[in-house]
Amino acid sequence: MGEVFYITTPIYYVNDVPHIGTAYTTLAADVVARFMRQQGREVFFLTGVDEHGQKVAQAAAEKGESPQAWVDSIVSHFTDVWELLNISNDDFIRTTEPRHARVAGLFIDKLKEKGDVYLGSYEGWYCIHDEAFLLSSQLVEGACPECNRPVDWVKEENYFFKLSSYQDRLLAYIEEHPDFIQPESRRNEVVSFINTGLADQSISRTSFTWGIPCPFDERHVMYVWFDALLNYLSAIDYGADDARFERTWPADWHLMGKEILRFHAVIWPAMLMAADLPLPRHVFAHGWLTVEGKKMSKSLGNVVRPADLVEEFGVDAYRYYFMREFSFGVDGNFSRRTMLRRYNAELANDLGNLESRVLTMAGKYRDHVVPQPGVPGGEESTLIDKATSTGLSAAGKLEQLAFNDALAEIWELVHAVNRYVDFSAPWALAKDEARSADLDRVLYNSLEALRQIALMIFPYMPATAEKMWDHLGQQDIESVALPAALEWGLLSPGTETSRGEALFPRKMEAAEDN
Ligand code: ME8
């Protein structure tokens, strides 16, 4: 069961345009998916959009359109951004698709038959923006604690899911699987929350119709979160293609922002328990990104769009910055200035210059042909050890979603290669015919180091890695299998290299003050 490596992002509300926060989760999932493919795993990487609920119905009504026409007209905002960011998702699920309605109906029927769904009445607060039922005690000055917006008093007949009866099983499961909810601080919050006592969860609505009808009572549509969580099953053909489902479920990682962890770490596992399905292996709640110290919001007008940054810095610099700057589990603050600094120091200078000078020397001194490796000396041994240990530890960090630490390690290797080149001074060796074999050795090992770096950065910066690969005369980086390809010395002497354009042209320092 679960041979396929299955990773998901939240399905985003379609009526918001993607910004750097939404893109953050999807980018992280893409890095993991690409890394796992490199390791030879079969991967299923899912993202998509959440199209039901009152918020979408209201937005459509304001535009004078049907909800379906409205969502159809804006879904490309998401698919376009994922394409721009070179996101390699294997599927894109929309909750208005028939495959999803089928699974949602099947699933709720199953819970109803089991006696875990019952008709009751709900009276309480509802935040349409967050699509969340709220207790009076949760309100902050009468408003939604998440978004500060006014809340509505709702009095409806609803179907309820017997969440309360899963409290003990959930706690036991979390206890027995310490790496189920990550990071640990969030896990502790979830445990405290469950310990305060779980109330049954309303899972249907009758006051509007934009949702999936409950098969046993068509007056009700499913509560948008109940429907949304099921996307993780509908995209892998639950109840239709059993063989596929068995190979893919459970998910290895559900990634999300911290504000929706409870849905994924409490309600979702209980739903799965009720349906007798295994729970996801890990759920990870990352921190929230602010912009220049402030929460992003339309009203403040400070929402940063990926396209603007990609236009200025390029897609791989975008990907690098967001994975390098922030620690995935905690909040982070975006600032253009730090992005520019990292661009110039780490991409243009450390990596870009290294690549360019090594390939320039290979061109100038060896007519673009990879020379013989020769016999490694002390300097080479140090370099080779560094590369080997970096390959292993950067992979280990990535597997723990410590992307920033993994990149920091890879950059230590970049620094080590820069030092190796400086120390070995090929330009001096080139002046002395008697040292031709030494020059061969230094050039070979510098080029081999670039080959290794290209493989290591591939999940983060696929296009840059591909350019480096191409400059080194290699083909098809996507099909190279790790860790075997990280054996030192696989670059064949005699291979033709090329210089190409600078990977990251330096940006004007003056622009830093903008
Ligand atoms: O909650 N910083 O959708 P959503 C970091 N449809 N991440 C951020 C962010 C920020 N400032 N803002 C948003 C929903 N995100 C539901 C999900 S899943 C079954 C249903 C990211 O459009 C983060 O991943 O509000 C967060 O969890 C997600 O966007 C919320 O997206």
Side-chain angles (χ1 to χ4, degrees):
M1 180 166 249
E3 304 97 284
V4 176
F5 180 85
Y6 182 18
I7 186 163
T8 69
T9 74
I11 47 170
Y12 304 104
Y13 288 123
V14 74
N15 50 321
D16 274 339
V17 180
H19 52 64
I20 56 171
T22 6
Y24 185 52
T25 324
T26 308
L27 173 55
D30 185 62
V31 169
V32 181
R34 286 179 180 275
F35 171 79
M36 286 298 164
R37 291 191 200 106
Q38 259 189 324
Q39 305 295 310
R41 293 285 305 269
E42 187 183 341
V43 170
F44 186 64
F45 165 22
L46 177 68
T47 189
V49 283
D50 193 352
E51 302 183 290
H52 290 127
Q54 219 172 333
K55 185 159 65 161
V56 169
Q58 266 188 1
E62 279 163 24
K63 301 271 169 202
E65 288 186 40
S66 76
Q68 187 69 57
W70 164 240
V71 294
D72 285 348
S73 71
I74 54 181
V75 67
S76 62
H77 292 166
F78 282 83
T79 47
D80 288 352
V81 171
W82 303 150
E83 201 175 313
L84 176 76
L85 292 178
N86 209 354
I87 300 299
S88 64
N89 53 302
D90 297 292
D91 199 349
F92 183 88
I93 188 149
R94 300 181 53 181
T95 53
T96 50
E97 288 170 332
R99 61 172 170 165
H100 180 67
R102 181 189 64 74
V103 169
L106 188 82
F107 193 93
I108 203 168
D109 263 344
K110 189 163 176 178
L111 268 50
K112 179 93 181 359
E113 276 160 31
K114 223 184 141 188
D116 273 337
V117 168
Y118 64 90
L119 192 59
S121 68
Y122 178 82
E123 189 165 357
W125 299 105
Y126 194 79
C127 170
I128 295 179
H129 181 264
D130 287 314
E131 300 283 11
F133 294 98
L134 296 164
L135 301 170
S136 295
S137 59
Q138 290 175 294
L139 304 186
V140 177
E141 291 175 9
C144 169
E146 269 310 321
C147 68
N148 303 324
R149 289 179 173 80
V151 287
D152 292 333
W153 183 257
V154 175
K155 196 174 170 188
E156 279 179 18
E157 182 187 64
N158 285 176
Y159 284 95
F160 282 76
F161 167 51
K162 274 194 193 162
L163 183 61
S164 58
S165 55
Y166 290 92
Q167 174 157 341
D168 295 341
R169 274 180 68 186
L170 272 174
L171 284 171
Y173 187 91
I174 296 169
E175 174 102 346
E176 281 159 26
H177 300 83
D179 58 356
F180 171 49
I181 302 170
Q182 298 185 39
E184 201 185 336
S185 56
R186 299 269 164 224
R187 170 178 181 262
N188 298 338
E189 283 172 19
V190 170
V191 170
S192 313
F193 171 74
I194 300 176
N195 275 324
T196 60
L198 295 180
D200 289 349
Q201 171 74 45
S202 164
I203 55 163
S204 76
R205 305 292 309 272
T206 50
S207 54
F208 64 100
T209 56
W210 181 236
I212 301 176
C214 293
F216 43 79
D217 187 343
E218 302 256 323
R219 293 168 306 155
H220 291 247
V221 292
M222 292 177 209
Y223 166 46
V224 63
W225 264 102
F226 187 85
D227 138 19
L229 288 162
L230 291 168
N231 90 88
Y232 303 132
L233 301 183
S234 41
I236 56 169
D237 292 334
Y238 172 67
D241 181 344
D242 292 344
R244 177 178 185 214
F245 183 78
E246 294 280 315
R247 293 182 68 243
T248 317
W249 189 256
D252 290 82
W253 289 102
H254 286 316
L255 307 189
M256 74 218 64
K258 60 184 182 181
E259 85 292 359
I260 59 171
L261 176 62
R262 276 188 201 170
F263 290 99
H264 286 83
V266 181
I267 298 177
W268 178 228
M271 285 165 64
L272 290 165
M273 283 175 174
D276 297 316
L277 287 171
L279 304 199
R281 294 199 171 95
H282 315 285
V283 298
F284 193 107
H286 63 69
W288 262 49
L289 300 182
T290 49
V291 168
E292 313 287 351
K294 296 202 180 68
K295 190 170 171 176
M296 258 182 292
S297 80
K298 276 186 204 153
S299 50
L300 283 178
N302 65 346
V303 178
V304 180
R305 308 273 171 225
D308 296 335
L309 294 174
V310 168
E311 191 179 315
E312 185 175 359
F313 293 97
V315 60
D316 275 3
Y318 181 103
R319 295 175 59 110
Y320 174 79
Y321 171 79
F322 282 94
M323 292 293 97
R324 177 66 187 87
E325 176 75 12
F326 310 110
S327 172
F328 199 50
V330 296
D331 292 343
N333 179 45
F334 166 82
S335 97
R336 210 187 139 275
R337 183 184 287 254
T338 54
M339 185 163 181
L340 184 60
R341 287 226 179 98
R342 283 201 187 274
Y343 179 93
N344 276 335
E346 292 158 25
L347 296 178
N349 208 29
D350 295 342
L351 179 63
N353 277 355
L354 173 68
E355 211 245 358
S356 141
R357 65 185 181 143
V358 169
L359 289 165
T360 303
M361 288 189 288
K364 193 161 157 197
Y365 306 137
R366 291 295 178 260
D367 203 18
H368 299 284
V369 176
V370 177
Q372 290 296 327
V375 183
E379 286 303 315
E380 283 76 28
S381 302
T382 310
L383 180 67
I384 296 168
D385 287 351
K386 179 77 188 164
T388 309
S389 64
T390 302
L392 287 172
S393 63
K397 301 280 187 210
L398 189 153
E399 282 175 2
Q400 296 160 24
L401 314 191
F403 309 108
N404 59 335
D405 292 339
L407 282 169
E409 303 233 359
I410 299 171
W411 252 251
E412 274 186 34
L413 174 63
V414 171
H415 295 150
V417 184
N418 267 312
R419 280 197 302 274
Y420 171 75
V421 174
D422 291 344
F423 179 86
S424 316
W427 46 91
L429 298 175
K431 292 191 183 126
D432 184 351
E433 198 44 46
R435 303 206 61 189
S436 178
D438 290 336
L439 178 59
D440 279 354
R441 190 187 68 241
V442 171
L443 288 176
Y444 180 87
N445 286 291
S446 308
L447 290 163
E448 170 64 13
L450 289 180
R451 189 186 73 85
Q452 302 241 337
I453 291 167
L455 291 172
M456 291 181 208
I457 65 170
F458 176 76
Y460 306 88
M461 297 194 279
T464 302
E466 222 170 310
K467 275 189 210 161
M468 291 175 69
W469 206 241
D470 182 53
H471 295 163
L472 291 167
Q474 310 297 300
Q475 271 109 43
D476 196 13
I477 194 167
E478 301 232 12
S479 63
V480 175
L482 297 193
L486 284 178
E487 188 188 320
W488 192 271
L490 292 181
L491 183 62
S492 305
T495 307
E496 201 149 321
T497 66
S498 58
R499 239 210 82 186
E501 281 168 23
L503 297 176
F504 299 99
R506 213 181 152 74
K507 304 239 172 254
M508 294 291 286
E509 287 294 334
E512 278 200 28
D513 297 323
N514 286 347

